Amino acid sequence: MLRQHHRRLNLSHILSTLELAGITTPQAQADALGNIATARKLTRMMLGGNVPSMFARGAEHAFELKRGWMDLPYNAPPPLPKRLARMALPPPLAEETPPLTSKEPEVA
């Protein structure tokens, strides 16, 4: 049972990393994980369903993590792998700001 708890918590960390990268929908997250589970299965696992060993090993591989990472407690999300960075949304464009003028406003 403790292993399932760690797997679920680490899956949460992985999905948080994907969300921060702009990969937010369950289907896009399933794609980013290499389709080792369907979007529905991902949701079920997060809601308390079984996180199988095959899925855990596949998620570790997709995130370039050491084998067994999903089975141990961690407090921080893993870094986004380089291959997934291409899937992430580009950073938002900065809004154009009017150029600064060197003149000071006139005081009346």
Side-chain angles (χ1 to χ4, degrees):
M1 282 299 200
L2 190 58
R3 181 176 293 165
Q4 284 296 310
H5 173 73
H6 293 316
R7 285 180 183 172
R8 204 167 293 110
L9 184 61
N10 290 330
L11 175 58
S12 174
H13 288 320
I14 286 173
L15 296 180
S16 293
T17 298
L18 292 174
E19 286 179 12
L20 288 172
I23 303 170
T24 57
T25 66
Q27 184 58 53
Q29 291 171 343
D31 293 344
L33 289 171
N35 289 317
I36 55 177
T38 63
R40 184 176 178 178
K41 180 69 175 172
L42 274 180
T43 303
R44 220 177 309 147
M45 285 187 276
M46 284 306 303
L47 294 175
N50 183 45
V51 181
S53 291
M54 290 287 284
F55 173 83
R57 302 299 80 87
E60 292 162 353
H61 180 74
F63 259 72
E64 302 168 1
L65 300 167
K66 194 168 72 172
R67 183 176 170 83
W69 185 90
M70 290 282 290
D71 299 333
L72 301 172
Y74 293 97
N75 293 323
L80 187 69
K82 290 179 184 176
R83 75 168 184 83
L84 293 178
R86 292 186 305 244
M87 293 178 68
L89 294 176
L93 297 175
E95 292 182 23
E96 289 187 32
T97 55
L100 296 175
T101 60
S102 59
K103 294 181 183 178
E104 292 185 24
E106 294 181 21
V107 179

